[in-house]
Amino acid sequence: MLNTEQINLETSFILIEPNTPLVELKNKILQYQFAVITGERHYTITNREYNFILSDEDSKSVILWLEEMQWIPSTVLTMSEVLELSIDWRRPVLIKNEEKENIIGVLTASEWIQSLQIENKKITAYFHTLAETVNDAVTAVDQEGKVICWNAPAEGTYGIKRENILGRKIGEYFHVEDIVLHRILNEGRPVRKAYHRPDSDTHVLINASPIIQNNIIIGGIATEQDITRIVRLNEELYSSVPQLVHPENPFSSIIGTGTEIQQVLQIAQKTTYADIPVLLTGEPGSGKEMLAQAIHYSSSRKNEPFLSVNCISIPPGLLEAELFGYQRKAFMDEGQVGQSGKLEQASQGTLFITDIDQMPFDIQAKLSNYLEHQSFHRIGGTELVTAQTRIIASASPVIDTMVKEGTFHKDLYYQLAVIKIDIPPLRERIEDIVELVQKFMQEFTIKYKKPMSNIDPTVMTVLINYDWPGNVRELRNVVERFILLNDEDVITLKHLPREVVTSSQFIHAGPIAIPSQDTPLYKERVSTNEEAFMIEEALRKTYGNKSAAAKLLGISRATLYNKIKEYGLDSHSE
């Protein structure tokens, strides 16, 4: 904004009443730069206009002379009004005080133009410095589409030097249908995070806005973030999704003995015979991708692709292209070039969409339309594409709340939730921790070529009593850590992360001392009481954790305590 304090007002002026004789004006005007005639209207006479009054009668009043000369009155404004209003600059403008209304100076058209020129140079310097400071390619065009700004990142992104494109119409270098700024100039609507592929080797996300003055579009400006590196990295990461389950018996790879996880597995196994969508909900790390793979590799589609799209790791503008692909006319060619999306690539197979609750709402609507019609349009394309792809999606448990609040597409939710499977967090299936630890220990001893170590009972007690906010994934990471770091025969507390040890809640009474399988007492109990043996076996597997043992046995903790007392198992407590 123009700084009015830096505008030079002419303060060499004299105020003259309208009925003052002309001779008095003649005598005084040469002593000042301006004579200001006050009244209902204000008139300004410069000392350079002295010759206009020199030959006229001295006795004539100033106001009469002005009327005869048809002198144009001056506008009287405050400085703030000068910035806001349209002004007749044929005569100097009189500047009045903001509060007292008295005239404080004279502003000429030449001084105003000079001030505007200085301000224009300053704003231009700011704009070009900003354009060169940001990492994104910046393009600005005027109303005719001529390029008026092309920064260094734009040169790098498109390989076009600034001197070759400035002043030229942008359509000379890019196909008109591919130029977002042309659409901006025609429609006047801003674009946010739009995916665009200006050539076969470049991927960008575009933010663009029209430049509007007096309700007229006078140009447009766009910033384009080069995401080519992100796209290529994403292609590398997801070109081959690691198989997490055993191909011959996929569900055997998922460990779970508790009632809730067994119900999950039963429902999931039944979905393998149908081609309907499945929605998996659960906390991060609870095993949603493994379950999705188990469903796919147990189905009739097992020999077809299993692809994955992550709604968090992919920028929103790119996500639509990742799912549906894109289509555009080739530059200087009538042919079509494009790229299929994951829906096409996974045709006849399965597409696993992770964190679908983070998918932008407009893409949710397009995916909902696909699920209804099994067809879609690529970005920029007009041809209807058909793909028979099964959708398995994962989401956090908050998706139900999002549907109620209207922040997740209701139709899409109900299309996906024909089969909705809620995976319990690890803290609710502690009876599986021991078996999971043993499985991961076997995996990582093979991976790192280390001998299988024993695990101290205290360590297992800590692992069982830890809350596991990162669920199975966190447990797997902890096991990998202590296998990698351990060079001894026994895994002890020192091999665990500090936060696991300090956060774990020990059972103060201590774990129950279960007799070894080789002791006479153990063999006697097996032969005399099958139920007592089952309880002992459950306590053995859970390292004396009564809550985990109760879950493993499918009974309440109170019932377990009664059974322990009934069979005298508490006599062996520490």
Side-chain angles (χ1 to χ4, degrees):
M1 179 132 206
L2 183 62
N3 186 355
T4 57
E5 294 180 359
Q6 296 179 356
I7 297 175
N8 294 320
L9 293 181
E10 183 56 67
T11 57
S12 175
F13 65 89
I14 183 172
L15 299 178
I16 295 178
E17 294 292 330
N19 293 321
T20 301
L22 203 56
V23 65
E24 189 173 336
L25 175 61
K26 293 176 182 179
N27 293 332
K28 293 187 176 181
I29 192 170
L30 294 178
Q31 302 174 33
Y32 299 90
Q33 290 291 329
F34 298 93
V36 178
I37 291 79
T38 59
E40 292 183 6
R41 291 184 175 185
H42 289 67
Y43 296 89
T44 307
I45 303 172
T46 71
N47 58 12
R48 295 190 302 274
E49 295 167 326
Y50 174 75
N51 290 333
F52 285 110
I53 62 175
L54 185 60
S55 60
D56 223 319
E57 300 177 14
D58 289 347
S59 60
K60 186 182 293 185
S61 67
V62 173
I63 190 63
L64 180 59
W65 179 82
L66 291 169
E67 290 173 354
E68 288 176 353
M69 294 292 292
Q70 296 183 346
W71 207 262
I72 299 172
S74 290
T75 306
V76 182
L77 300 170
T78 64
M79 280 307 302
S80 59
E81 291 172 330
V82 171
L83 298 173
E84 299 171 0
L85 303 177
S86 297
I87 301 170
D88 184 353
W89 285 99
R90 290 178 297 175
R91 298 303 299 165
V93 173
L94 301 174
I95 303 300
K96 62 181 179 179
N97 191 290
E98 296 277 353
E99 300 174 355
K100 298 180 180 179
E101 296 288 322
N102 61 305
I103 295 173
I104 59 174
V106 180
L107 180 60
T108 63
S110 60
E111 177 61 35
W112 180 244
I113 291 171
Q114 185 177 355
S115 299
L116 292 178
Q117 288 175 335
I118 294 172
E119 186 66 19
N120 181 60
K121 289 181 181 179
K122 186 186 298 182
I123 292 173
T124 301
Y126 273 108
F127 173 74
H128 285 293
T129 302
L130 175 62
E132 293 300 332
T133 302
V134 298
N135 293 325
D136 297 346
V138 178
T139 307
V141 298
D142 63 14
Q143 194 171 13
E144 297 177 351
K146 292 181 180 179
V147 179
I148 59 176
C149 178
W150 186 262
N151 69 347
E155 289 183 322
T157 300
Y158 297 107
I160 302 172
K161 291 293 184 181
R162 182 186 288 109
E163 57 267 23
N164 294 333
I165 195 171
L166 287 178
R168 307 286 293 274
K169 289 191 176 181
I170 196 169
E172 296 179 24
Y173 292 86
F174 302 96
H175 198 288
V176 173
E177 292 183 3
D178 287 341
I179 303 173
V180 173
L181 284 174
H182 268 302
R183 195 183 341 147
I184 292 291
L185 294 177
N186 292 331
E187 301 176 4
R189 291 184 296 178
V191 171
R192 295 291 178 266
K193 296 187 180 300
Y195 172 72
H196 182 48
R197 193 168 184 178
D199 56 55
S200 59
D201 297 323
T202 308
H203 304 260
V204 297
L205 288 181
I206 299 179
N207 288 319
S209 298
I211 303 172
I212 300 175
Q213 187 177 55
N214 298 327
N215 294 321
I216 298 174
I217 298 173
I218 63 170
I221 187 167
T223 61
E224 303 180 31
Q225 179 186 4
D226 189 348
I227 58 169
T228 304
R229 183 171 172 272
I230 298 175
V231 171
R232 289 174 180 168
L233 180 61
N234 182 68
E235 289 172 350
E236 291 176 8
L237 289 173
Y238 293 100
S239 59
S240 179
V241 179
Q243 191 165 325
L244 305 174
V245 296
H246 193 280
E248 299 301 324
N249 189 4
F251 282 98
S252 67
S253 303
I254 302 174
I255 292 174
T257 56
T259 304
E260 290 183 356
I261 192 66
Q262 281 298 311
Q263 289 176 348
V264 164
L265 296 177
Q266 289 172 10
I267 295 172
Q269 286 172 327
K270 290 179 180 178
T271 66
T272 61
Y273 303 104
D275 284 336
I276 55 177
V278 177
L279 178 62
L280 308 178
T281 62
E283 296 177 3
S286 56
K288 298 186 285 292
E289 184 168 11
M290 179 176 279
L291 187 59
Q293 287 194 15
I295 293 172
H296 170 77
Y297 289 108
S298 298
S299 72
S300 59
R301 296 174 180 256
K302 63 183 178 181
N303 295 321
E304 302 298 334
F306 177 89
L307 300 182
S308 177
V309 172
N310 190 308
C311 296
I312 291 180
S313 65
I314 301 176
L318 177 60
L319 182 58
E320 184 179 2
E322 279 288 299
L323 283 170
F324 301 101
Y326 72 91
Q327 192 80 41
R328 71 177 181 87
K329 287 185 178 179
F331 177 57
M332 299 298 290
D333 190 355
E334 294 301 322
Q336 295 280 332
V337 295
Q339 175 67 49
S340 61
K342 290 289 172 55
L343 277 171
E344 286 180 78
Q345 296 170 24
S347 185
Q348 305 305 318
T350 301
L351 179 61
F352 180 47
I353 305 176
T354 65
D355 299 300
I356 198 169
D357 48 316
Q358 300 299 312
M359 179 182 286
F361 200 86
D362 57 335
I363 304 179
Q364 293 176 29
K366 189 170 182 178
L367 181 60
S368 174
N369 186 71
Y370 163 73
L371 288 173
E372 182 176 354
H373 302 289
Q374 293 294 291
S375 60
F376 58 89
H377 292 98
R378 289 179 175 180
I379 297 175
T382 56
E383 181 182 350
L384 200 62
V385 179
T386 301
Q388 301 295 323
T389 303
R390 185 181 192 182
I391 301 295
I392 301 178
S394 74
S396 67
V398 301
I399 191 171
D400 295 331
T401 304
M402 293 175 67
V403 173
K404 294 177 183 177
E405 294 175 348
T407 54
F408 190 87
H409 200 285
K410 186 178 293 185
D411 291 342
L412 177 60
Y413 174 80
Y414 289 116
Q415 287 167 323
L416 294 172
V418 175
I419 299 294
K420 180 171 175 283
I421 302 176
D422 300 314
I423 303 176
L426 186 57
R427 63 181 173 275
E428 294 179 8
R429 37 184 293 223
I430 53 179
E431 66 276 11
D432 296 327
I433 290 177
V434 174
E435 191 174 352
L436 285 168
V437 170
Q438 292 169 348
K439 174 190 174 184
F440 296 146
M441 287 179 67
Q442 291 174 353
E443 175 187 345
F444 292 119
T445 52
I446 294 172
K447 178 179 178 179
Y448 295 114
K449 298 178 181 180
K450 287 197 166 191
M452 190 72 170
S453 301
N454 294 320
I455 188 165
D456 188 285
T458 307
V459 171
M460 192 64 79
T461 302
V462 168
L463 296 179
I464 289 172
N465 287 279
Y466 180 57
D467 200 39
W468 299 110
N471 292 293
V472 177
R473 184 185 299 145
E474 184 184 7
L475 175 61
R476 186 174 184 273
N477 293 341
V478 168
V479 174
E480 181 176 18
R481 180 184 188 273
F482 68 59
I483 291 296
L484 184 63
L485 297 180
N486 179 47
D487 292 320
E488 303 170 12
D489 295 333
V490 179
I491 306 296
T492 63
L493 289 178
K494 70 179 181 180
H495 297 112
L496 296 182
R498 180 179 300 176
E499 64 272 15
V500 173
V501 177
T502 56
S503 299
S504 179
Q505 299 297 317
F506 286 92
I507 301 174
H508 297 294
I512 291 180
I514 302 298
S516 167
Q517 294 183 8
D518 297 327
T519 63
L521 178 60
Y522 181 85
K523 294 177 180 178
E524 179 185 348
R525 287 184 179 176
V526 170
S527 60
T528 57
N529 195 309
E530 184 67 25
E531 187 176 49
F533 165 71
M534 292 174 62
I535 293 173
E536 286 185 328
E537 188 69 10
L539 289 167
R540 185 186 311 282
K541 287 182 177 180
T542 59
Y543 283 72
N545 186 291
K546 297 172 186 175
S547 296
K551 275 180 167 281
L552 194 62
L553 293 166
I555 60 178
S556 68
R557 200 159 79 166
T559 300
L560 177 62
Y561 274 98
N562 290 334
K563 293 292 183 181
I564 289 173
K565 187 175 181 180
E566 178 183 345
Y567 296 120
L569 299 177
D570 55 345
S571 62
H572 298 278
S573 298
E574 294 179 352

